[in-house]
Amino acid sequence: AINVDPAPLSIETAELPAGQVDSEYAASLAAAGGVEPYSWSVTEGTLPEGLTLDAATGAISGTPTTAGSSEFTVQVTDAAETSATKVLAISVDPAPLSIETAELPAGQVESEYAASLAAAGGVEPYSWAVTEGSLPEGLTLDAATGAISGTPTTAGSAEFTVQVTDAAETSATKVL
């Protein structure tokens, strides 16, 4: 009798694609050799927050909630109880930087004015600037907080472009 053993069990996935905060993620782990079916697990470290590993298929899916890089060890076990491990990592990029403020409230001459600009995504902290045009006379923009405040001195409307820059030096602009 000739006994033919299966090829040694191994994890063939060399690396996993990067993800992005608040964007759907999907990747699959691949194994070769051994005796199917396979069973997958994370034995050290953790997947990025919001992602899960399907033990039966080796699919990693979900929506990452935090930017950063996670290193972890995956293990595949075959039907003959043989296992193999591999250290992998998933890098999660921040969501794209954007200015969320759609419009600013109207002000009144000689009355205190206060409004705040809002941004999302990117890497905090943010810094704000007016890059084209200007705020109405008497109003100022706090570069650290995005607060517009002061007392307007002249009636009329002002159109201007605001820019937010994040800690990674990515920027976004919007005309208000």
Side-chain angles (χ1 to χ4, degrees), residues 6-13 29-36 38 40 76 78 84:
L9 181 62
S10 66
I11 296 174
E12 297 209 318
T13 305
L29 300 173
V35 180
E36 293 189 45
Y38 302 132
W40 294 91
V76 62
D78 69 2

Side-chain angles (χ1 to χ4, degrees), residues 105-116 135-142 145-154:
Q108 186 173 352
V109 172
E110 300 303 326
S111 293
E112 192 66 30
Y113 181 87
S116 290
L135 295 173
E137 289 283 326
L139 299 183
T140 59
L141 171 63
D142 183 314
T145 66
I148 298 173
S149 60
T151 303
T153 58
T154 308

Side-chain angles (χ1 to χ4, degrees), residues 64-95:
T65 59
T66 306
S69 183
S70 295
E71 187 174 276
F72 49 91
T73 301
V74 292
Q75 177 175 295
V76 62
T77 304
D78 69 2
E81 301 294 322
T82 303
S83 63
T85 61
K86 186 173 236 180
V87 176
L88 294 170
I90 297 176
S91 177
V92 178
D93 298 327

Side-chain angles (χ1 to χ4, degrees), residues 13-72:
T13 305
E15 62 183 45
L16 293 165
Q20 187 174 54
V21 170
D22 295 333
S23 294
E24 194 66 30
Y25 182 88
S28 292
L29 300 173
V35 180
E36 293 189 45
Y38 302 132
S39 175
W40 294 91
S41 62
V42 174
T43 60
E44 288 185 36
T46 59
L47 294 173
E49 285 185 45
L51 299 185
T52 58
L53 170 63
D54 184 310
T57 65
I60 298 174
S61 61
T63 303
T65 59
T66 306
S69 183
S70 295
E71 187 174 276
F72 49 91

